[in-house]
Amino acid sequence: MRESALIHCLKPLLPPMSAQIIDGKAVAETLRESVKNAVDERISNGLRRPGLAVILVGENPASQVYVRNKKLACEKAGITSFEHTPPTDISEADLLSLITELNNDDRIDGILVQLPLPDHINAEGVIETISPEKDVDGFHPYNIGRLMIGKPTFRPCTPQGVTRLLESTGIDITGMDAVIVGRSNIVGRPMAFELLAKDCTPRICHSRSKDLPAQVKQADILVAAIGKPGFIQADWIKPGAIVIDVGINRLDSGKLAGDVEFEGAKEVAGYITPVPGGVGPMTIACLLENTLQSARKRDK
């Protein structure tokens, strides 16, 4: 029997191939170590230590976890963390006044306001009050605009982290069709510009997109950022696709789950990120990198 025929006969008996897992923790650790080395070099050269101010309004449990993780990451990277925890009923005027003080504080290189904010505070106004030179989250309209025209300054941390994860696969993604499920200003929209910069052909899909499964099926690269656990089904995914799951959803059981049905998807995709341990660590690592970048710019 010819070899090709033998393989064809045995194929139904072979187990399905699983996707390679993209280890966000490992990639993020490498980036954090790079930031730490650069900070240590700054200190040895007599330059000041970078500073990141984090504002957490109220006592949202999920936000408290994120802020705690960011503080720990700052400590490991040698970046000074300044925490501000005003009460939930702080007035918008007082919050904007705090941000203005931080804008003028020479110890601070980056300002991050943890979202979501209480309903009585206009989040857009808060973001626009942060100095673009200290907007290490990359959400200010000035920085989004620079990303859009291909001349980025501070890039939004999650899309930036996704790009780093794609690079970690070693695959040339030039010309690939990319589908982003979700159109938020934090992930979906800036992610499209990140992929354009990598010479991909991105498409943003959302809750009103027609025949979403068919559109996802065309993606060489799928970025899921819709905020619904297990929303993307395995049979939607193109065999061999790179799947980046941005979703972090807490189930009733207390476990975290992504937007992609992971167990089924990993049998179809070529590469896939887990939740947790995928995009999340990269978001924080890119925040540290942006803070270092800000300190370097302000040195000049």
Side-chain angles (χ1 to χ4, degrees), residues 116-133:
L117 291 168
D119 292 340
H120 68 280
I121 295 177
N122 178 4
E124 290 182 5
V126 168
I127 291 169
E128 291 179 12
T129 301
I130 298 171
S131 168
E133 296 178 351

Side-chain angles (χ1 to χ4, degrees), residues 216-298:
V216 171
K217 194 77 171 182
Q218 299 177 44
D220 302 308
I221 299 169
L222 170 65
V223 180
I226 200 167
K228 296 182 179 180
F231 181 79
I232 305 294
Q233 301 298 303
D235 60 1
W236 297 12
I237 295 170
K238 181 178 182 178
I242 304 173
V243 177
I244 308 292
D245 193 345
V246 179
I248 301 180
N249 309 284
R250 189 167 296 279
L251 305 178
D252 292 340
S253 64
K255 292 183 178 181
L256 293 178
D259 292 349
V260 177
E261 195 280 295
F262 181 79
E263 292 302 321
K266 73 178 183 179
E267 304 301 330
V268 181
Y271 292 82
I272 191 168
T273 58
V275 177
V279 176
M282 289 303 301
T283 298
I284 296 178
C286 289
L287 174 68
L288 302 178
E289 185 179 45
N290 283 354
T291 302
L292 173 62
Q293 177 187 345
S294 176
R296 286 171 168 167
K297 287 184 176 182
R298 297 182 67 242

Side-chain angles (χ1 to χ4, degrees), residues 130-163:
I130 298 171
S131 168
E133 296 178 351
K134 296 188 178 185
D135 170 42
V136 290
D137 242 352
F139 293 161
H140 193 284
Y142 172 82
N143 288 323
I144 290 292
R146 298 235 1 141
L147 176 65
M148 184 181 70
I149 64 173
K151 297 181 182 293
T153 45
F154 295 120
R155 296 152 60 197
C157 297
T158 297
Q160 184 181 352
V162 170
T163 301

Side-chain angles (χ1 to χ4, degrees), residues 46-300:
L47 296 173
R48 62 184 179 76
R49 193 177 296 278
L52 173 66
V54 179
I55 301 174
L56 171 61
V57 179
E59 298 179 353
N60 181 296
S63 294
Q64 288 176 331
V65 171
Y66 294 146
V67 169
R68 185 162 59 247
N69 289 340
K70 288 167 184 173
K71 180 182 179 181
L72 181 60
C74 281
E75 291 174 354
K76 290 182 177 179
I79 292 174
T80 303
S81 176
F82 299 86
E83 288 188 56
H84 297 269
T85 55
T88 304
D89 61 356
I90 185 175
S91 70
E92 183 172 313
D94 286 344
L95 180 57
L96 298 183
S97 178
L98 171 58
I99 293 171
T100 300
E101 289 178 16
L102 297 174
N103 284 338
N104 296 324
D105 189 335
D106 289 337
R107 299 172 301 167
I108 305 298
D109 297 291
I111 301 171
L112 181 151
V113 178
Q114 186 66 45
L115 302 176
L117 291 168
D119 292 340
H120 68 280
I121 295 177
N122 178 4
E124 290 182 5
V126 168
I127 291 169
E128 291 179 12
T129 301
I130 298 171
S131 168
E133 296 178 351
K134 296 188 178 185
D135 170 42
V136 290
D137 242 352
F139 293 161
H140 193 284
Y142 172 82
N143 288 323
I144 290 292
R146 298 235 1 141
L147 176 65
M148 184 181 70
I149 64 173
K151 297 181 182 293
T153 45
F154 295 120
R155 296 152 60 197
C157 297
T158 297
Q160 184 181 352
V162 170
T163 301
R164 291 290 182 85
L165 291 176
L166 291 172
E167 291 171 351
S168 76
T169 66
I171 294 175
D172 181 5
I173 63 173
T174 301
M176 285 189 173
D177 291 324
V179 171
I180 305 152
V181 183
R183 54 179 169 179
S184 73
N185 291 335
I186 295 174
V187 181
R189 296 172 195 259
M191 190 72 247
F193 295 120
E194 288 280 357
L195 289 168
L196 273 176
K198 293 295 182 181
D199 294 322
C200 294
T201 306
R203 176 189 309 160
I204 298 178
C205 294
H206 46 81
S207 60
R208 299 196 178 188
S209 296
K210 294 181 179 179
D211 200 355
L212 183 58
Q215 298 205 51
V216 171
K217 194 77 171 182
Q218 299 177 44
D220 302 308
I221 299 169
L222 170 65
V223 180
I226 200 167
K228 296 182 179 180
F231 181 79
I232 305 294
Q233 301 298 303
D235 60 1
W236 297 12
I237 295 170
K238 181 178 182 178
I242 304 173
V243 177
I244 308 292
D245 193 345
V246 179
I248 301 180
N249 309 284
R250 189 167 296 279
L251 305 178
D252 292 340
S253 64
K255 292 183 178 181
L256 293 178
D259 292 349
V260 177
E261 195 280 295
F262 181 79
E263 292 302 321
K266 73 178 183 179
E267 304 301 330
V268 181
Y271 292 82
I272 191 168
T273 58
V275 177
V279 176
M282 289 303 301
T283 298
I284 296 178
C286 289
L287 174 68
L288 302 178
E289 185 179 45
N290 283 354
T291 302
L292 173 62
Q293 177 187 345
S294 176
R296 286 171 168 167
K297 287 184 176 182
R298 297 182 67 242
D299 288 341
K300 302 175 183 180

